[in-house]
Amino acid sequence: MDRVSVFSRIILLFIILSFFADVSYALGGRRRAAQQAYHPVTTSAPVPVSATPAAYTVKKPIVTISLDESFSDTLRNMEQARNASTSDKRQSAAMEYVLGMDFTEVLEALPETEKEVCLSFTQKVEEKLAEDIRERFPEVRPEVRKPLAMIAAKAYLEGVEQGELNEEILHLASLKLTNSEVLAANEVIAGRLDPEETKAVDGLNRFRMRSGLRPCLIDLLLVNASRGHSGDMRRLCFFSHNSPVSGKYDFMARARQAGASASGENIYMGPNSGNAANSAWINSDGHRANMLTSTHTRVGVGRVGGHFTQMFGR
């Protein structure tokens, strides 16, 4: 491997380390209460289709970790290795470790002492994150804490793709989550949502729970599909469940294209407000029926300007 490539990997490694190094536990923010009263905004005033699209940015982490001194020393040793190919493997191991990926194969390239440090630190990180989740969400069962903690750590890393994170979310859902655990998971996943998208999900779940139904878990692939349709409607100046875009004719096709499945869809055009979108949907018989379908277990909301799409999955 040439020196430029090796140098670029070193730079990437330092960028990753700058995110994690010397960062203390920062589990902040409020816990969204499912019992909070819902106050809908009744309005249908349209906004121009030229409204500025939302900017989706990574927010402050729910949980963060610190690198201990021994592991920091190991990473420095990896970076300083003279052999380019060995150094490259070690950097790959370090980066995959920090990002929480499967580094089993590249770990074999490490000397035994560094391997032991990596494995020991992995266990410490997992235990620390699980303890953070326990303190923040005491109602979460022990078997749910570790997978939820890893989702919390990855949700705020820009290098982790939506699809990769969504696989872990769906694995979490297989644990037959309680209502409180779904709400805790959504608060963790909300780092990937626009604030108004988050409000729309929160309002939906408060409405469902007030009606005696289970809340829906956020599906990031449905979020992608929803954002795509909202963007298409705004860009092409149409407002319909049927899209003129090739391969995206209906909501089921749009979900498939995003790598998911869907069982229902609501759309809205108006003020750039998740509460306003929910209010409009709740006050429409067909849209309200979608929101209160008992078999819906997943939801993705995507906003572009004043266009909202809400997709459901089973």
Side-chain angles (χ1 to χ4, degrees):
M1 179 170 292
D2 57 44
R3 295 191 176 193
V4 174
S5 178
V6 173
F7 180 74
S8 67
R9 300 293 286 268
I10 292 173
I11 294 299
L12 178 58
L13 177 61
F14 280 129
I15 291 173
I16 295 169
L17 290 181
S18 69
F19 178 84
F20 286 100
D22 301 322
V23 182
S24 61
Y25 170 54
L27 180 54
R30 63 181 180 83
R31 175 74 171 95
R32 299 184 181 89
Q35 294 77 20
Q36 179 179 352
Y38 177 67
H39 301 289
V41 179
T42 305
T43 177
S44 58
V47 296
V49 295
S50 59
T52 303
Y56 306 112
T57 58
V58 176
K59 307 175 185 64
K60 186 176 180 181
I62 291 289
V63 293
T64 56
I65 61 175
S66 300
L67 291 173
D68 63 20
E69 186 175 349
S70 61
F71 191 71
S72 296
D73 288 341
T74 296
L75 293 179
R76 280 193 289 272
N77 291 338
M78 292 177 181
E79 181 267 324
Q80 293 169 358
R82 293 183 178 180
N83 183 291
S85 61
T86 302
S87 176
D88 182 63
K89 290 180 181 178
R90 291 182 180 186
Q91 290 170 39
S92 296
M95 286 186 285
E96 291 191 6
Y97 163 76
V98 174
L99 291 174
M101 301 175 186
D102 181 9
F103 59 99
T104 305
E105 292 184 5
V106 288
L107 192 62
E108 296 175 359
L110 299 179
E112 195 62 33
T113 54
E114 293 179 356
K115 186 186 303 183
E116 290 176 1
V117 172
C118 284
L119 293 174
S120 173
F121 189 73
T122 299
Q123 184 176 359
K124 288 180 183 178
V125 169
E126 291 177 349
E127 291 174 354
K128 174 64 167 62
L129 293 179
E131 179 61 20
D132 291 347
I133 289 294
R134 186 192 68 78
E135 293 178 2
R136 184 69 188 89
F137 306 109
E139 68 275 18
V140 171
R141 293 168 294 162
E143 61 268 31
V144 176
R145 289 174 195 156
K146 180 179 174 180
L148 183 57
M150 298 312 295
I151 291 172
K154 292 183 179 183
Y156 296 87
L157 289 173
E158 295 187 16
V160 178
E161 297 292 335
Q162 297 275 76
E164 177 188 342
L165 187 60
N166 208 64
E167 288 181 7
E168 300 203 19
I169 294 170
L170 296 181
H171 168 70
L172 185 72
S174 70
L175 299 178
K176 300 189 183 303
L177 303 178
T178 65
N179 287 358
S180 295
E181 289 168 347
V182 170
L183 296 178
N186 282 350
E187 185 168 339
V188 165
I189 302 165
R192 290 296 179 103
L193 302 188
D194 171 274
E196 295 304 324
E197 294 170 345
T198 300
K199 289 179 183 178
V201 172
D202 288 351
L204 163 72
N205 281 335
R206 288 197 299 272
F207 184 48
R208 285 177 64 87
M209 293 177 72
R210 281 171 44 191
S211 303
L213 299 174
R214 286 177 52 78
C216 289
L217 182 67
I218 295 171
D219 184 318
L220 291 177
L221 296 184
L222 289 182
V223 171
N224 286 351
S226 296
R227 287 175 180 168
H229 188 54
S230 294
D232 289 342
M233 288 192 293
R234 176 181 177 276
R235 177 173 56 88
L236 300 175
C237 300
F238 74 95
F239 184 68
S240 172
H241 293 286
N242 297 326
S243 172
V245 179
S246 177
K248 302 171 70 173
Y249 176 72
D250 58 21
F251 70 85
M252 291 179 288
R254 292 190 286 275
R256 282 195 302 271
Q257 190 176 85
S261 61
S263 50
E265 179 184 78
N266 287 335
I267 57 175
Y268 163 88
M269 181 176 64
N272 305 352
S273 163
N275 287 340
N278 271 333
S279 178
W281 289 329
I282 288 172
N283 287 290
S284 166
D285 291 344
H287 298 89
R288 183 171 63 249
N290 247 348
M291 299 172 79
L292 296 181
T293 298
S294 61
T295 54
H296 292 333
T297 60
R298 297 175 288 116
V299 67
V301 175
R303 176 180 80 93
V304 176
H307 291 76
F308 284 76
T309 302
Q310 179 186 58
M311 297 185 72
F312 297 97
R314 293 191 173 94

